[in-house]
Amino acid sequence: MKSNEDDRLTVQVAIELLPPRVQRDLLDDVEFVRQWQIPTAVTLRIGSNGPSFTRDDFFGAVRRAIDDQGTATPIADQSGLEWLLLANKQKECISYSLSNKDTIYCLEDHSALAAEVSVRVGWFERVAPSLLMDSNSRIRWSNRLLQSALTYDEFSELVEDIELAPGGIYRRLVDSFGQLTIDVANLVPSNRHYYERFIGVAESGQSSAAYFNASLRPRINGHLNDSGILGFKHALLMCSSGEVSSYIKTDRLDRNELTRLYGWLAERGDPISRVAAVEVALSRLDTYPELGPFVHQMVEGILSVESDADGSDIALLCAMIIASISELARRQTLGGVQPFYLRQAAITHASLILRAINSAQIEVESVIRRVQTLGFGDVYFLRGLIDLRREPRWLPDFVDPRQLRFEFIGRIMNAANRNQEKIELESLRALLIGPESKLAQAASWPFPYLPGPMEGAIASGNPLPGEIQRTATDALNTERLSSKAFAPLINCALLFDIDKEMSGLAAAALRRVTYSVENSSDDENSISFLIGLATLAGVTRCEDLASALRILVRVLRRRKRFGGASDEELFVAMVASAAFEVPEAWAQFAGDWLTEIAFEIKDKGGARVLLSKLRCLIKLEPVLAKYLASADAALDAYCS
């Protein structure tokens, strides 16, 4: 049997044979390095092109400089050039600089390295509120800093925690936008811990409501207790749903600070925070009537956004949500989580990005154009189509400026109706209350009433009205069918809870007329009709309708009555596949339909596009691989 020393040497030799990226990941694992006693010499570089130092030498010089503030501490870089490190007391904090005769660098605050407990603890108490760490991390570091001077490994771990806290990510984003750069790695962090510390963890199989209560509510309470008004400002970012907004309390906040924050939100807040702030204020206008004018200003701002305004903050939010979901899905950063949690992470982070853009004061349209050129759209939509199997009531094309604006209008309407008696300001009542109000006039049916991003798996709670059910039944039982016969069910699919039997009636009607549906020859109307039927099949989990729809599309395609592009049929197929809740059955149905599309395609350009999307689907959901193998081979051969 090998000795422990032999095992240790074997591990060290094996690491040297691994690719550099794998090496870095292993050596970043503190416990792994300690367990196998792997010698490491970490190098620090100052700035992008500045001098490099051995980490332990640099941290040691910083500690000496703190002990002897105002006196320059010499340190040599790795090329042998000598630099002077200076720590200077400035009111409550210490400034740090590194210089030689030609260059000077202003350094980040390294006071946590101090040997004196009052220096490091005072620093942490001063900066922790703005970092918005989760409560566990904050308590852990607060206790550790009280005990003794940090080791250099511990300081590096603290720095990493700071960088992954929302406040640290926010500062990095502001710096990036301030330099007019949009780097994908900086734009969407790939560290799972960042999101879990930001928005908590959703347990496997947990509903969105249970996640809100068990994870988000404690997060919000912790931020309000630990960071006061900064915690309130941070909590607003998490409000992807009106239910989350209801967790935010104001009773412990300074009244003047709250009023100033509402003024800032009205002028420069991101859309999610504004809507949440409106919901919070409407529930407390009886206590905080001074917030009424700010509510009026924020609601007017949302209503004034044109649906096709490319430079609006809502359009920017959509672009950032798409970018965030796309990158999280591509890198598998949050692999295995429920779709609503992925959207919660993306929406919260996207809102943080918007705050950073506002802080950097850069032009919104240029950011949107730049992000759109990075090609996030395909991965975002394909991930959304895959997620319909688990949450069929929320379509990926709901992340659209027009629909997101209606989502906000619906949330504000709900909050205004719940709190009518608290709204005393006459101008605000005229804006929010009653069928003639500006808010009601902007609420174009059915868009404000469609499911929100956290409601993809939640039944509406509204049974299909009997009158609509009778109308649909009568229409579907006629001798000749037109696409209008399906309209009552299609239009209500996302608004009411429809029994699977009603969808089965639609499938039976298609078979009865041998898939001869009138008035479906126009391509635009045809694709809308087919997507509507696919959505109905998905939300009612009606496998019978999904199978009938596949035959209907085949008939229309071969009769030249559906000239939709292959990506349009792919969309219909994936939406309809949500009828199959069991993963293997879903994969087989989707794979068989997509394979049929692949064998029907007639041009090489379209074949290349479809092949790219099928391969992306397989990467995102490997269970599809065996059902798409023949489609992949056929398309690859056709394109080559």
Side-chain angles (χ1 to χ4, degrees), residues 79-93:
S79 69
L81 181 65
E82 186 171 279
W83 294 76
L84 296 177
L85 203 157
L86 188 63
N88 274 325
K89 182 74 173 178
Q90 291 189 344
K91 296 182 179 179
E92 295 181 350
C93 60

Side-chain angles (χ1 to χ4, degrees), residues 500 503-505 507-508 511 537 541-549 579-580:
K500 184 186 291 188
S503 294
L505 184 63
R511 287 193 295 271
R541 301 293 195 183
C542 184
E543 299 173 4
D544 189 22
L545 179 56
S547 299
L549 176 60
F580 296 80

Side-chain angles (χ1 to χ4, degrees), residues 375-409:
F376 295 118
D378 277 355
V379 176
Y380 163 76
F381 269 97
L382 294 175
R383 179 71 261 171
L385 292 174
I386 290 169
D387 287 340
L388 287 172
R389 181 185 66 79
R390 289 187 287 175
E391 298 186 12
R393 288 173 52 81
W394 198 84
L395 298 170
D397 49 5
F398 284 178
V399 175
D400 169 83
R402 183 172 182 267
Q403 178 54 37
L404 207 55
R405 174 177 173 271
F406 281 126
E407 165 75 9
F408 295 156
I409 288 172

Side-chain angles (χ1 to χ4, degrees), residues 3 37 45 171 221 238 272 283 319 394 427 535 554 560 593 599 615 628:
S3 67
Q37 302 173 35
R45 180 179 292 278
R171 287 190 309 203
N221 290 338
M238 303 182 192
I272 292 290
S283 68
W394 198 84
S427 60
T535 303
R554 182 188 302 147
K560 310 287 187 196
W593 192 338
F599 278 92
R615 287 178 173 174
L628 289 175

